């Protein structure tokens, strides 16, 4: 675990240099970009190693896997982010483990969250609305690759922001898996534009977090305005 923490710290240092260079190219400060360590698929020790390396947020994409890790190791003083599709029948369990949901991908899920939060007397649960700005059907989230879809998505974000137990802190998106950097860049740019429009047009939307960028595309994401990277492979290592 110590060795793992050291290699995470080393990789983080190298990644931070690349993040800083990308931020510099875009004329923005590198401290405006936070890093979530994606520990999904790794054993629980990965979370301990992430904590020991000085990082504070982890991303998991399965409720059962996160529950098992937390049961064994505790919360480790980390902020646990759900980054995968959340089934409505697992909302109650997810709320017991996760501190933030980055992948709010439907209004029905938002409404279910609202009901469960009221039931347990919780309020201000942080969520990001997941948007699909790539046009790829395989990616989840509210469709927003075309301008008519973007308008509908903004209306959906508005309704989500009306749910009082949720605190909508921003948007999350994923780029398509492609070697074509211009397609990735266009996807991120559309997400950024949508983020800014939501900030201007939607009451209750807090434009704090634009979560985009993974191991393969984080530099483009930083250049296009990401405020949060979700880094698995490049930071924690190859998933077994
Ligand atoms: C797995 C995953 C990541 C991290 O992917 P890497 O390519 O390993 O960095 C980020 N975001 C989401 C939503 C994921 O599912």
């Amino acid at each position: 675990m110590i060795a793992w923490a050291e290699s995470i710290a080393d990789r983080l240092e190298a990644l931070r240099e690349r993040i800083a260079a990308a931020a510099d190219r875009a004329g923005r400060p590198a401290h405006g970009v936070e890093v979530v360590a994606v520990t999904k698929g790794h054993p629980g020790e990965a979370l301990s190693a992430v904590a020991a390396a000085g990082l504070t947020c982890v991303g998991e994409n399965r409720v059962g896997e996160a529950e098992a890790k937390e049961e064994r190791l505790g919360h480790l003083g980390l902020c646990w982010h759900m980054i995968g599709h959340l089934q409505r029948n697992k909302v109650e369990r997810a709320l017991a483990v996760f501190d933030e949901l980055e992948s709010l991908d439907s209004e029905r899920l938002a409404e279910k969250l609202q009901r469960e939060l009221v039931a347990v007397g919780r309020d201000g649960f942080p969520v990001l609305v997941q948007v699909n700005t790539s046009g790829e059907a395989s990616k989840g989230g509210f469709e927003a690759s075309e301008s008519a879809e973007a308008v509908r998505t903004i209306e959906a974000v508005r309704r989500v922001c009306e749910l009082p137990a949720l605190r909508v802190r921003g948007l999350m998106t994923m780029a398509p898996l492609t070697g074509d950097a211009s397609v990735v860049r266009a996807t991120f740019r559309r997400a950024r534009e949508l983020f800014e429009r939501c900030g201007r047009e939607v009451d209750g939307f807090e434009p704090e977090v634009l979560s985009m960028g993974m191991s393969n595309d984080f530099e483009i994401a930083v250049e296009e305005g990401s405020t949060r990277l979700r880094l698995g492979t490049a930071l924690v290592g190859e998933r077994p």
Side-chain angles (χ1 to χ4, degrees):
M1 202 277 283
I2 306 262
W4 201 347
E6 281 171 3
S7 62
I8 290 174
D10 286 346
R11 291 192 198 112
L12 181 62
E13 200 180 306
L15 288 164
R16 289 239 192 256
E17 278 176 24
R18 291 170 61 188
I19 293 167
D24 199 50
R25 287 194 290 280
R28 35 187 310 238
H31 64 73
V33 184
E34 57 180 329
V35 171
V36 171
V38 175
T39 46
K40 71 176 187 201
H42 286 289
E45 283 63 33
L47 286 89
S48 310
V50 162
L55 283 161
T56 54
C57 298
V58 287
E60 290 278 338
N61 69 341
R62 290 190 177 167
V63 174
E65 184 180 332
E67 277 176 334
K69 289 173 178 174
E70 205 214 24
E71 194 165 318
R72 199 157 64 77
L73 299 160
H75 217 63
L76 297 166
L78 292 162
C79 193
W80 295 49
H81 293 201
M82 175 59 171
I83 60 172
H85 171 64
L86 176 58
Q87 290 168 269
R88 276 174 290 131
N89 62 5
K90 292 190 182 152
V91 163
E92 192 181 351
R93 284 164 56 196
L95 286 174
V97 183
F98 290 104
D99 303 290
E100 175 160 338
L101 172 67
E102 295 206 21
S103 45
L104 181 68
D105 58 7
S106 75
E107 289 189 63
R108 289 174 77 194
L109 176 59
E111 286 155 10
K112 173 73 177 168
L113 273 164
Q114 166 67 27
R115 284 196 297 278
E116 289 295 335
L117 286 162
V118 169
V120 297
R122 258 167 93 185
D123 202 357
F125 185 75
V127 299
L128 305 182
V129 176
Q130 182 178 351
V131 295
N132 179 348
T133 48
S134 73
E136 265 197 331
S138 62
K139 295 275 184 290
F142 291 86
E143 291 292 336
S145 60
E146 292 166 20
S147 62
E149 289 168 348
V151 170
R152 280 198 294 279
T153 290
I154 290 170
E155 287 315 308
V157 171
R158 197 187 304 284
R159 289 189 291 274
V160 171
C161 286
E162 283 167 2
L163 299 170
L166 301 184
R167 178 173 162 225
V168 185
R169 298 189 65 207
L171 302 182
M172 186 273 260
T173 200
M174 272 189 277
L177 259 182
T178 163
D180 186 343
S182 68
V183 172
V184 173
R185 190 176 295 282
T187 301
F188 289 153
R189 190 164 293 174
R190 280 192 289 269
R192 160 83 181 271
E193 284 163 5
L194 197 63
F195 176 71
E196 289 177 348
R197 277 190 70 179
C198 288
R200 283 195 305 270
E201 298 176 23
V202 179
D203 280 348
F205 181 89
E206 300 174 33
E208 295 174 342
V209 182
L210 180 56
S211 177
M212 59 186 195
M214 315 189 348
S215 294
N216 287 328
D217 55 23
F218 70 90
E219 285 159 306
I220 302 174
V222 170
E223 287 168 11
E224 295 302 327
S226 170
T227 73
R228 177 186 289 169
L229 308 175
R230 305 177 309 273
L231 300 177
T233 317
L235 178 65
V236 188
E238 291 283 344
R239 286 180 281 279

